[in-house]
Amino acid sequence: SVIVALFACTGKRAYAELAHAYFDKWNVKKMNGNEKELMDDLGYYESHADNIRAVADFKPSETPKVVVPQNTNRLPKGRGGFISFVNDYIREQRRNGKLLSADRNAKVIKNFSKFLDGDDVSFAKFTKETVEGYRDWLTTKGLADSSVYFYVRNLSCLYNYAGKRGLCTKEESPFKEVKLRPLEKAEEAEQKVLTLDDIRRLRSLDLTSYDKSLSLARDIFLFSVYAHGMRPINILFLKRSDIADGRLTYTAHTIGRQKQVSIKWDKPMQEIADRYAPTTPYLFPCITSSNYETAISQFNIAKQAINRSLKKLGKLLDLPFSLSMNVASYSWKGIMESIMDEVGIGGMM
């Protein structure tokens, strides 16, 4: 700490280099909070080195001043904090072809950076209060509860990944005691489901006088319900070759992991598939490119268009909430419970 203070007071690079020499010997995983704060402070002073005037340079009438951060919880952008780490990680993902995950992480960290007014935050000062402040900030922006959950949950995943790189520990996580979504809001989200009668009304809607995009959105929504709440990323990248011997087998992409899923290929699913000519390897005509980067771009565009069309379908059904692909995932469990009530175990076998 003395060496860092000497650099802050004199601006001499030799002191900064000496401090780095000591830091390089430290075990990152075993560093305590004070040691991490010391490294953060050195990074800050280095970024303001041009503004540091040595004590000997001051006139007798002047009072020496050490450059200190205006907000001690912030770091200048790109000075080795959490956001700097995530941006490096995003670049690594793009190099490795993980474009979808990189796009999601870029969206999350860009939003978090806005909350920090473009600054960075050190791992040592990334606290529970930071997370709660971010959550409340998102709420005041008028975001839906599901959107607030998306941003905070994905931010937590990025923090955990930094832990795997030795930059923080699970015990230090500022997310572990933070309530991501108020209970009453979660209950409201669970009410945004379609009943069996709603599904039947959606299926029977006459859409012949509407744009074809509404029919496509309806088919993809219903397919999600039939396929046990399958997510859009898995549906739009679903290939005809994934269907064999009466089973649909695919790799489900979820946050931070992948898993193999195999479900029965039912008649309603086949009826939807039959409506689309096999012009591409994919079941639905939303993705046409064999180039992965272009295909990801097509997926993002298609997903937005589908959700816009679903909102229109929700109004046609006079639903009390906005229809989206998330509703399809929520509805699967509720519909299965309704079926069990109607036919019982015997009827399901």
Side-chain angles (χ1 to χ4, degrees):
S1 61
V2 174
I3 297 172
V4 174
L6 285 171
F7 175 62
C9 291
T10 66
K12 292 185 178 181
R13 185 63 200 170
Y15 290 121
E17 292 175 355
L18 183 59
H20 279 295
Y22 280 107
F23 293 161
D24 290 342
K25 297 178 182 180
W26 290 353
N27 187 324
V28 177
K29 292 184 178 180
K30 295 182 179 180
M31 284 170 54
N32 59 40
N34 291 334
E35 290 170 339
K36 290 181 180 179
E37 287 186 18
L38 197 59
M39 292 183 70
D40 294 339
D41 289 342
L42 177 61
Y44 183 86
Y45 295 136
E46 285 183 301
S47 68
H48 289 74
D50 293 340
N51 298 324
I52 296 176
R53 295 171 59 193
V55 174
D57 293 338
F58 284 87
K59 296 177 181 179
S61 60
E62 292 181 315
T63 303
K65 293 183 180 180
V66 176
V67 177
V68 294
Q70 292 298 311
N71 186 332
T72 56
N73 288 327
R74 305 283 176 85
L75 284 172
K77 187 176 181 180
R79 296 306 304 175
F82 174 71
I83 290 179
S84 179
F85 162 77
V86 173
N87 285 330
D88 287 342
Y89 176 48
I90 290 170
R91 286 190 285 271
E92 178 184 316
Q93 286 186 307
R94 294 194 189 283
R95 288 195 300 269
N96 294 332
K98 297 180 179 180
L99 303 181
L100 191 65
S101 180
D103 287 346
R104 182 188 67 239
N105 290 334
K107 179 180 179 181
V108 170
I109 207 62
K110 180 180 179 181
N111 187 277
F112 185 56
S113 181
K114 287 182 180 178
F115 164 68
L116 295 176
D117 298 323
D119 292 332
D120 204 340
V121 60
S122 69
F123 284 95
K125 296 174 182 177
F126 196 151
T127 64
K128 174 185 175 183
E129 288 71 29
T130 306
V131 179
E132 290 178 332
Y134 180 50
R135 179 198 62 193
D136 296 341
W137 179 80
L138 290 169
T139 302
T140 60
K141 292 292 182 181
L143 271 67
D145 298 321
S146 58
S147 296
V148 174
Y149 183 83
F150 166 84
Y151 282 113
V152 179
R153 172 59 178 157
N154 279 281
L155 198 68
S156 173
C157 290
L158 289 169
Y159 186 93
N160 291 339
Y161 187 75
K164 293 180 180 179
R165 294 288 181 93
L167 298 175
C168 53
T169 67
K170 187 176 181 180
E171 290 71 24
E172 296 172 327
S173 175
F175 294 87
K176 61 183 180 180
E177 295 180 2
V178 174
K179 197 174 184 181
L180 296 187
R181 198 162 40 174
L183 180 60
E184 63 272 17
K185 298 296 183 181
E187 290 173 348
E188 289 176 9
E190 290 176 1
Q191 294 173 7
K192 294 182 179 180
V193 299
L194 297 188
T195 64
L196 274 174
D197 286 339
D198 292 330
I199 292 293
R200 290 166 183 147
R201 288 197 299 130
L202 179 61
R203 287 184 60 179
S204 61
L205 271 179
D206 183 2
L207 300 177
T208 53
S209 61
Y210 293 91
D211 189 90
K212 291 183 179 180
S213 60
L214 263 65
S215 295
L216 174 63
R218 174 174 64 180
D219 283 345
I220 291 175
F221 182 93
L222 292 174
F223 189 92
S224 175
V225 176
Y226 299 152
H228 303 191
M230 186 187 293
R231 298 173 65 235
I233 181 63
N234 299 316
I235 294 175
L236 298 189
F237 277 98
L238 197 63
K239 294 184 177 180
R240 295 178 184 274
S241 57
D242 294 329
I243 306 162
D245 301 323
R247 305 286 300 179
L248 171 60
T249 304
Y250 66 98
T251 301
H253 297 268
T254 58
I255 297 176
R257 64 190 179 94
Q258 298 180 356
K259 65 176 181 178
Q260 285 293 118
V261 176
S262 181
I263 59 176
K264 183 181 178 182
W265 181 255
D266 286 321
K267 182 180 177 181
M269 299 159 73
Q270 184 63 54
E271 289 175 351
I272 291 176
D274 289 341
R275 286 198 275 274
Y276 301 94
T279 55
T280 72
Y282 301 107
L283 193 64
F284 292 98
C286 301
I287 297 173
T288 59
S289 177
S290 58
N291 177 274
Y292 182 67
E293 188 169 355
T294 303
I296 291 297
S297 177
Q298 290 179 335
F299 162 74
N300 288 326
I301 293 171
K303 182 181 176 182
Q304 292 174 8
I306 289 166
N307 276 323
R308 284 196 299 268
S309 295
L310 287 176
K311 287 183 179 179
K312 296 178 183 178
L313 290 171
K315 291 179 180 178
L316 291 176
L317 292 172
D318 197 26
L319 295 176
F321 51 82
S322 181
L323 193 62
S324 70
M325 286 303 297
N326 284 337
V327 176
S329 298
Y330 298 151
S331 298
W332 160 246
K333 181 180 178 181
I335 290 172
M336 283 303 297
E337 290 175 351
S338 297
I339 293 174
M340 291 292 291
D341 290 339
E342 284 190 11
V343 303
I345 294 291
M348 293 290 293
M349 303 300 288

PDB file of all heavy atoms in Angstrom, residues 313-342:
ATOM      1  N   LEU A 313     -51.861 -12.017 -32.388  1.00  0.00           N
ATOM      2  CA  LEU A 313     -52.719 -13.193 -32.161  1.00  0.00           C
ATOM      3  C   LEU A 313     -53.357 -13.133 -30.776  1.00  0.00           C
ATOM      4  O   LEU A 313     -54.522 -13.526 -30.609  1.00  0.00           O
ATOM      5  CB  LEU A 313     -51.892 -14.475 -32.303  1.00  0.00           C
ATOM      6  CG  LEU A 313     -51.426 -14.824 -33.719  1.00  0.00           C
ATOM      7  CD1 LEU A 313     -50.446 -15.994 -33.689  1.00  0.00           C
ATOM      8  CD2 LEU A 313     -52.635 -15.184 -34.605  1.00  0.00           C
ATOM      9  N   GLY A 314     -52.596 -12.658 -29.793  1.00  0.00           N
ATOM     10  CA  GLY A 314     -53.142 -12.534 -28.445  1.00  0.00           C
ATOM     11  C   GLY A 314     -54.317 -11.577 -28.399  1.00  0.00           C
ATOM     12  O   GLY A 314     -55.304 -11.809 -27.687  1.00  0.00           O
ATOM     13  N   LYS A 315     -54.246 -10.502 -29.188  1.00  0.00           N
ATOM     14  CA  LYS A 315     -55.356  -9.545 -29.252  1.00  0.00           C
ATOM     15  C   LYS A 315     -56.566 -10.165 -29.953  1.00  0.00           C
ATOM     16  O   LYS A 315     -57.712  -9.910 -29.560  1.00  0.00           O
ATOM     17  CB  LYS A 315     -54.910  -8.284 -29.972  1.00  0.00           C
ATOM     18  CG  LYS A 315     -53.892  -7.471 -29.175  1.00  0.00           C
ATOM     19  CD  LYS A 315     -53.448  -6.227 -29.942  1.00  0.00           C
ATOM     20  CE  LYS A 315     -52.428  -5.430 -29.134  1.00  0.00           C
ATOM     21  NZ  LYS A 315     -51.950  -4.236 -29.883  1.00  0.00           N
ATOM     22  N   LEU A 316     -56.310 -10.986 -30.982  1.00  0.00           N
ATOM     23  CA  LEU A 316     -57.415 -11.658 -31.663  1.00  0.00           C
ATOM     24  C   LEU A 316     -58.139 -12.626 -30.727  1.00  0.00           C
ATOM     25  O   LEU A 316     -59.355 -12.836 -30.841  1.00  0.00           O
ATOM     26  CB  LEU A 316     -56.902 -12.411 -32.899  1.00  0.00           C
ATOM     27  CG  LEU A 316     -56.407 -11.553 -34.071  1.00  0.00           C
ATOM     28  CD1 LEU A 316     -55.832 -12.439 -35.172  1.00  0.00           C
ATOM     29  CD2 LEU A 316     -57.552 -10.702 -34.626  1.00  0.00           C
ATOM     30  N   LEU A 317     -57.370 -13.218 -29.815  1.00  0.00           N
ATOM     31  CA  LEU A 317     -57.951 -14.145 -28.831  1.00  0.00           C
ATOM     32  C   LEU A 317     -58.534 -13.410 -27.621  1.00  0.00           C
ATOM     33  O   LEU A 317     -59.143 -14.037 -26.753  1.00  0.00           O
ATOM     34  CB  LEU A 317     -56.886 -15.146 -28.356  1.00  0.00           C
ATOM     35  CG  LEU A 317     -56.386 -16.161 -29.380  1.00  0.00           C
ATOM     36  CD1 LEU A 317     -55.212 -16.942 -28.803  1.00  0.00           C
ATOM     37  CD2 LEU A 317     -57.504 -17.121 -29.783  1.00  0.00           C
ATOM     38  N   ASP A 318     -58.285 -12.087 -27.560  1.00  0.00           N
ATOM     39  CA  ASP A 318     -58.744 -11.270 -26.440  1.00  0.00           C
ATOM     40  C   ASP A 318     -58.161 -11.771 -25.115  1.00  0.00           C
ATOM     41  O   ASP A 318     -58.875 -11.870 -24.105  1.00  0.00           O
ATOM     42  CB  ASP A 318     -60.283 -11.254 -26.378  1.00  0.00           C
ATOM     43  CG  ASP A 318     -60.806 -10.114 -25.501  1.00  0.00           C
ATOM     44  OD1 ASP A 318     -60.086  -9.103 -25.372  1.00  0.00           O
ATOM     45  OD2 ASP A 318     -61.911 -10.245 -24.948  1.00  0.00           O
ATOM     46  N   LEU A 319     -56.873 -12.064 -25.133  1.00  0.00           N
ATOM     47  CA  LEU A 319     -56.201 -12.535 -23.918  1.00  0.00           C
ATOM     48  C   LEU A 319     -55.932 -11.359 -22.977  1.00  0.00           C
ATOM     49  O   LEU A 319     -55.705 -10.238 -23.431  1.00  0.00           O
ATOM     50  CB  LEU A 319     -54.881 -13.220 -24.270  1.00  0.00           C
ATOM     51  CG  LEU A 319     -54.971 -14.518 -25.085  1.00  0.00           C
ATOM     52  CD1 LEU A 319     -53.560 -15.012 -25.434  1.00  0.00           C
ATOM     53  CD2 LEU A 319     -55.732 -15.600 -24.317  1.00  0.00           C
ATOM     54  N   PRO A 320     -55.910 -11.589 -21.676  1.00  0.00           N
ATOM     55  CA  PRO A 320     -55.661 -10.508 -20.708  1.00  0.00           C
ATOM     56  C   PRO A 320     -54.177 -10.167 -20.562  1.00  0.00           C
ATOM     57  O   PRO A 320     -53.813  -9.334 -19.743  1.00  0.00           O
ATOM     58  CB  PRO A 320     -56.221 -11.077 -19.401  1.00  0.00           C
ATOM     59  CG  PRO A 320     -56.048 -12.555 -19.543  1.00  0.00           C
ATOM     60  CD  PRO A 320     -56.283 -12.855 -21.009  1.00  0.00           C
ATOM     61  N   PHE A 321     -53.309 -10.831 -21.320  1.00  0.00           N
ATOM     62  CA  PHE A 321     -51.871 -10.576 -21.261  1.00  0.00           C
ATOM     63  C   PHE A 321     -51.302 -10.692 -22.669  1.00  0.00           C
ATOM     64  O   PHE A 321     -51.953 -11.185 -23.591  1.00  0.00           O
ATOM     65  CB  PHE A 321     -51.164 -11.565 -20.316  1.00  0.00           C
ATOM     66  CG  PHE A 321     -51.484 -13.010 -20.598  1.00  0.00           C
ATOM     67  CD1 PHE A 321     -50.816 -13.715 -21.601  1.00  0.00           C
ATOM     68  CD2 PHE A 321     -52.465 -13.673 -19.869  1.00  0.00           C
ATOM     69  CE1 PHE A 321     -51.119 -15.041 -21.866  1.00  0.00           C
ATOM     70  CE2 PHE A 321     -52.768 -15.005 -20.129  1.00  0.00           C
ATOM     71  CZ  PHE A 321     -52.091 -15.686 -21.125  1.00  0.00           C
ATOM     72  N   SER A 322     -50.073 -10.215 -22.832  1.00  0.00           N
ATOM     73  CA  SER A 322     -49.415 -10.242 -24.133  1.00  0.00           C
ATOM     74  C   SER A 322     -48.908 -11.644 -24.437  1.00  0.00           C
ATOM     75  O   SER A 322     -48.247 -12.275 -23.604  1.00  0.00           O
ATOM     76  CB  SER A 322     -48.251  -9.243 -24.150  1.00  0.00           C
ATOM     77  OG  SER A 322     -47.603  -9.233 -25.394  1.00  0.00           O
ATOM     78  N   LEU A 323     -49.220 -12.139 -25.626  1.00  0.00           N
ATOM     79  CA  LEU A 323     -48.788 -13.482 -26.029  1.00  0.00           C
ATOM     80  C   LEU A 323     -47.356 -13.425 -26.550  1.00  0.00           C
ATOM     81  O   LEU A 323     -47.004 -12.533 -27.327  1.00  0.00           O
ATOM     82  CB  LEU A 323     -49.722 -14.021 -27.114  1.00  0.00           C
ATOM     83  CG  LEU A 323     -49.618 -15.520 -27.436  1.00  0.00           C
ATOM     84  CD1 LEU A 323     -49.962 -16.351 -26.213  1.00  0.00           C
ATOM     85  CD2 LEU A 323     -50.544 -15.867 -28.608  1.00  0.00           C
ATOM     86  N   SER A 324     -46.531 -14.358 -26.107  1.00  0.00           N
ATOM     87  CA  SER A 324     -45.138 -14.445 -26.550  1.00  0.00           C
ATOM     88  C   SER A 324     -44.694 -15.891 -26.491  1.00  0.00           C
ATOM     89  O   SER A 324     -45.414 -16.756 -25.989  1.00  0.00           O
ATOM     90  CB  SER A 324     -44.231 -13.586 -25.660  1.00  0.00           C
ATOM     91  OG  SER A 324     -44.127 -14.163 -24.364  1.00  0.00           O
ATOM     92  N   MET A 325     -43.487 -16.164 -27.000  1.00  0.00           N
ATOM     93  CA  MET A 325     -42.968 -17.537 -26.959  1.00  0.00           C
ATOM     94  C   MET A 325     -42.728 -18.001 -25.529  1.00  0.00           C
ATOM     95  O   MET A 325     -42.781 -19.193 -25.243  1.00  0.00           O
ATOM     96  CB  MET A 325     -41.679 -17.634 -27.769  1.00  0.00           C
ATOM     97  CG  MET A 325     -41.875 -17.593 -29.277  1.00  0.00           C
ATOM     98  SD  MET A 325     -42.990 -18.897 -29.893  1.00  0.00           S
ATOM     99  CE  MET A 325     -42.085 -20.391 -29.449  1.00  0.00           C
ATOM    100  N   ASN A 326     -42.489 -17.058 -24.612  1.00  0.00           N
ATOM    101  CA  ASN A 326     -42.329 -17.449 -23.208  1.00  0.00           C
ATOM    102  C   ASN A 326     -43.613 -18.076 -22.673  1.00  0.00           C
ATOM    103  O   ASN A 326     -43.576 -18.988 -21.843  1.00  0.00           O
ATOM    104  CB  ASN A 326     -41.956 -16.236 -22.359  1.00  0.00           C
ATOM    105  CG  ASN A 326     -40.508 -15.824 -22.530  1.00  0.00           C
ATOM    106  OD1 ASN A 326     -39.673 -16.638 -22.915  1.00  0.00           O
ATOM    107  ND2 ASN A 326     -40.211 -14.571 -22.267  1.00  0.00           N
ATOM    108  N   VAL A 327     -44.755 -17.582 -23.149  1.00  0.00           N
ATOM    109  CA  VAL A 327     -46.042 -18.114 -22.699  1.00  0.00           C
ATOM    110  C   VAL A 327     -46.186 -19.576 -23.107  1.00  0.00           C
ATOM    111  O   VAL A 327     -46.774 -20.384 -22.385  1.00  0.00           O
ATOM    112  CB  VAL A 327     -47.212 -17.272 -23.255  1.00  0.00           C
ATOM    113  CG1 VAL A 327     -48.555 -17.878 -22.861  1.00  0.00           C
ATOM    114  CG2 VAL A 327     -47.118 -15.844 -22.753  1.00  0.00           C
ATOM    115  N   ALA A 328     -45.639 -19.932 -24.262  1.00  0.00           N
ATOM    116  CA  ALA A 328     -45.703 -21.332 -24.710  1.00  0.00           C
ATOM    117  C   ALA A 328     -44.977 -22.238 -23.718  1.00  0.00           C
ATOM    118  O   ALA A 328     -45.467 -23.314 -23.365  1.00  0.00           O
ATOM    119  CB  ALA A 328     -45.085 -21.461 -26.102  1.00  0.00           C
ATOM    120  N   SER A 329     -43.801 -21.786 -23.264  1.00  0.00           N
ATOM    121  CA  SER A 329     -43.045 -22.583 -22.288  1.00  0.00           C
ATOM    122  C   SER A 329     -43.790 -22.675 -20.961  1.00  0.00           C
ATOM    123  O   SER A 329     -43.850 -23.733 -20.335  1.00  0.00           O
ATOM    124  CB  SER A 329     -41.665 -21.953 -22.068  1.00  0.00           C
ATOM    125  OG  SER A 329     -40.922 -21.949 -23.252  1.00  0.00           O
ATOM    126  N   TYR A 330     -44.373 -21.539 -20.514  1.00  0.00           N
ATOM    127  CA  TYR A 330     -45.120 -21.537 -19.258  1.00  0.00           C
ATOM    128  C   TYR A 330     -46.361 -22.437 -19.357  1.00  0.00           C
ATOM    129  O   TYR A 330     -46.761 -23.076 -18.373  1.00  0.00           O
ATOM    130  CB  TYR A 330     -45.590 -20.120 -18.904  1.00  0.00           C
ATOM    131  CG  TYR A 330     -44.501 -19.107 -18.681  1.00  0.00           C
ATOM    132  CD1 TYR A 330     -44.720 -17.753 -18.947  1.00  0.00           C
ATOM    133  CD2 TYR A 330     -43.249 -19.475 -18.191  1.00  0.00           C
ATOM    134  CE1 TYR A 330     -43.733 -16.799 -18.743  1.00  0.00           C
ATOM    135  CE2 TYR A 330     -42.260 -18.536 -17.987  1.00  0.00           C
ATOM    136  CZ  TYR A 330     -42.498 -17.206 -18.268  1.00  0.00           C
ATOM    137  OH  TYR A 330     -41.523 -16.271 -18.063  1.00  0.00           O
ATOM    138  N   SER A 331     -46.964 -22.464 -20.547  1.00  0.00           N
ATOM    139  CA  SER A 331     -48.250 -23.145 -20.708  1.00  0.00           C
ATOM    140  C   SER A 331     -48.136 -24.656 -20.674  1.00  0.00           C
ATOM    141  O   SER A 331     -49.084 -25.342 -20.297  1.00  0.00           O
ATOM    142  CB  SER A 331     -48.911 -22.719 -22.025  1.00  0.00           C
ATOM    143  OG  SER A 331     -49.182 -21.335 -22.033  1.00  0.00           O
ATOM    144  N   TRP A 332     -47.003 -25.189 -21.080  1.00  0.00           N
ATOM    145  CA  TRP A 332     -46.860 -26.642 -21.205  1.00  0.00           C
ATOM    146  C   TRP A 332     -47.207 -27.373 -19.906  1.00  0.00           C
ATOM    147  O   TRP A 332     -48.021 -28.304 -19.906  1.00  0.00           O
ATOM    148  CB  TRP A 332     -45.438 -26.990 -21.638  1.00  0.00           C
ATOM    149  CG  TRP A 332     -45.036 -28.408 -21.355  1.00  0.00           C
ATOM    150  CD1 TRP A 332     -44.082 -28.836 -20.488  1.00  0.00           C
ATOM    151  CD2 TRP A 332     -45.607 -29.594 -21.931  1.00  0.00           C
ATOM    152  NE1 TRP A 332     -44.013 -30.199 -20.480  1.00  0.00           N
ATOM    153  CE2 TRP A 332     -44.942 -30.689 -21.361  1.00  0.00           C
ATOM    154  CE3 TRP A 332     -46.614 -29.821 -22.856  1.00  0.00           C
ATOM    155  CZ2 TRP A 332     -45.244 -32.004 -21.699  1.00  0.00           C
ATOM    156  CZ3 TRP A 332     -46.921 -31.138 -23.190  1.00  0.00           C
ATOM    157  CH2 TRP A 332     -46.237 -32.208 -22.615  1.00  0.00           C
ATOM    158  N   LYS A 333     -46.635 -26.932 -18.801  1.00  0.00           N
ATOM    159  CA  LYS A 333     -46.888 -27.596 -17.527  1.00  0.00           C
ATOM    160  C   LYS A 333     -48.351 -27.497 -17.127  1.00  0.00           C
ATOM    161  O   LYS A 333     -48.971 -28.482 -16.720  1.00  0.00           O
ATOM    162  CB  LYS A 333     -45.998 -26.999 -16.435  1.00  0.00           C
ATOM    163  CG  LYS A 333     -46.180 -27.653 -15.077  1.00  0.00           C
ATOM    164  CD  LYS A 333     -45.265 -27.014 -14.031  1.00  0.00           C
ATOM    165  CE  LYS A 333     -45.492 -27.648 -12.673  1.00  0.00           C
ATOM    166  NZ  LYS A 333     -44.628 -27.011 -11.629  1.00  0.00           N
ATOM    167  N   GLY A 334     -48.937 -26.292 -17.271  1.00  0.00           N
ATOM    168  CA  GLY A 334     -50.338 -26.106 -16.896  1.00  0.00           C
ATOM    169  C   GLY A 334     -51.282 -26.930 -17.751  1.00  0.00           C
ATOM    170  O   GLY A 334     -52.262 -27.491 -17.255  1.00  0.00           O
ATOM    171  N   ILE A 335     -50.974 -27.031 -19.041  1.00  0.00           N
ATOM    172  CA  ILE A 335     -51.819 -27.821 -19.934  1.00  0.00           C
ATOM    173  C   ILE A 335     -51.744 -29.294 -19.582  1.00  0.00           C
ATOM    174  O   ILE A 335     -52.763 -30.002 -19.582  1.00  0.00           O
ATOM    175  CB  ILE A 335     -51.404 -27.582 -21.398  1.00  0.00           C
ATOM    176  CG1 ILE A 335     -51.798 -26.165 -21.824  1.00  0.00           C
ATOM    177  CG2 ILE A 335     -52.037 -28.607 -22.327  1.00  0.00           C
ATOM    178  CD1 ILE A 335     -51.278 -25.760 -23.178  1.00  0.00           C
ATOM    179  N   MET A 336     -50.568 -29.778 -19.265  1.00  0.00           N
ATOM    180  CA  MET A 336     -50.422 -31.182 -18.881  1.00  0.00           C
ATOM    181  C   MET A 336     -51.235 -31.487 -17.624  1.00  0.00           C
ATOM    182  O   MET A 336     -51.864 -32.535 -17.518  1.00  0.00           O
ATOM    183  CB  MET A 336     -48.948 -31.515 -18.642  1.00  0.00           C
ATOM    184  CG  MET A 336     -48.146 -31.696 -19.916  1.00  0.00           C
ATOM    185  SD  MET A 336     -48.842 -32.974 -21.001  1.00  0.00           S
ATOM    186  CE  MET A 336     -48.661 -34.417 -19.945  1.00  0.00           C
ATOM    187  N   GLU A 337     -51.249 -30.544 -16.671  1.00  0.00           N
ATOM    188  CA  GLU A 337     -52.036 -30.754 -15.456  1.00  0.00           C
ATOM    189  C   GLU A 337     -53.527 -30.807 -15.789  1.00  0.00           C
ATOM    190  O   GLU A 337     -54.284 -31.598 -15.212  1.00  0.00           O
ATOM    191  CB  GLU A 337     -51.741 -29.641 -14.453  1.00  0.00           C
ATOM    192  CG  GLU A 337     -50.340 -29.709 -13.860  1.00  0.00           C
ATOM    193  CD  GLU A 337     -50.026 -28.520 -12.968  1.00  0.00           C
ATOM    194  OE1 GLU A 337     -50.837 -27.571 -12.963  1.00  0.00           O
ATOM    195  OE2 GLU A 337     -48.981 -28.537 -12.291  1.00  0.00           O
ATOM    196  N   SER A 338     -53.949 -29.968 -16.757  1.00  0.00           N
ATOM    197  CA  SER A 338     -55.355 -29.969 -17.177  1.00  0.00           C
ATOM    198  C   SER A 338     -55.733 -31.289 -17.841  1.00  0.00           C
ATOM    199  O   SER A 338     -56.810 -31.840 -17.611  1.00  0.00           O
ATOM    200  CB  SER A 338     -55.615 -28.811 -18.148  1.00  0.00           C
ATOM    201  OG  SER A 338     -55.388 -27.587 -17.522  1.00  0.00           O
ATOM    202  N   ILE A 339     -54.812 -31.793 -18.668  1.00  0.00           N
ATOM    203  CA  ILE A 339     -55.071 -33.069 -19.335  1.00  0.00           C
ATOM    204  C   ILE A 339     -55.197 -34.190 -18.306  1.00  0.00           C
ATOM    205  O   ILE A 339     -56.078 -35.050 -18.391  1.00  0.00           O
ATOM    206  CB  ILE A 339     -53.953 -33.397 -20.340  1.00  0.00           C
ATOM    207  CG1 ILE A 339     -53.989 -32.394 -21.494  1.00  0.00           C
ATOM    208  CG2 ILE A 339     -54.071 -34.815 -20.860  1.00  0.00           C
ATOM    209  CD1 ILE A 339     -52.826 -32.534 -22.468  1.00  0.00           C
ATOM    210  N   MET A 340     -54.320 -34.146 -17.308  1.00  0.00           N
ATOM    211  CA  MET A 340     -54.377 -35.172 -16.256  1.00  0.00           C
ATOM    212  C   MET A 340     -55.708 -35.110 -15.521  1.00  0.00           C
ATOM    213  O   MET A 340     -56.310 -36.145 -15.182  1.00  0.00           O
ATOM    214  CB  MET A 340     -53.227 -34.959 -15.273  1.00  0.00           C
ATOM    215  CG  MET A 340     -51.851 -35.252 -15.848  1.00  0.00           C
ATOM    216  SD  MET A 340     -51.625 -37.002 -16.200  1.00  0.00           S
ATOM    217  CE  MET A 340     -51.584 -37.656 -14.553  1.00  0.00           C
ATOM    218  N   ASP A 341     -56.222 -33.900 -15.274  1.00  0.00           N
ATOM    219  CA  ASP A 341     -57.506 -33.754 -14.593  1.00  0.00           C
ATOM    220  C   ASP A 341     -58.657 -34.309 -15.447  1.00  0.00           C
ATOM    221  O   ASP A 341     -59.616 -34.873 -14.935  1.00  0.00           O
ATOM    222  CB  ASP A 341     -57.778 -32.280 -14.275  1.00  0.00           C
ATOM    223  CG  ASP A 341     -56.854 -31.755 -13.185  1.00  0.00           C
ATOM    224  OD1 ASP A 341     -56.311 -32.586 -12.428  1.00  0.00           O
ATOM    225  OD2 ASP A 341     -56.684 -30.529 -13.098  1.00  0.00           O
ATOM    226  N   GLU A 342     -58.532 -34.146 -16.791  1.00  0.00           N
ATOM    227  CA  GLU A 342     -59.615 -34.568 -17.673  1.00  0.00           C
ATOM    228  C   GLU A 342     -59.620 -36.073 -17.910  1.00  0.00           C
ATOM    229  O   GLU A 342     -60.668 -36.716 -17.882  1.00  0.00           O
ATOM    230  CB  GLU A 342     -59.474 -33.850 -19.031  1.00  0.00           C
ATOM    231  CG  GLU A 342     -59.903 -32.401 -18.995  1.00  0.00           C
ATOM    232  CD  GLU A 342     -59.987 -31.811 -20.388  1.00  0.00           C
ATOM    233  OE1 GLU A 342     -59.923 -32.581 -21.370  1.00  0.00           O
ATOM    234  OE2 GLU A 342     -60.124 -30.586 -20.504  1.00  0.00           O
TER     235      GLU A 342
END
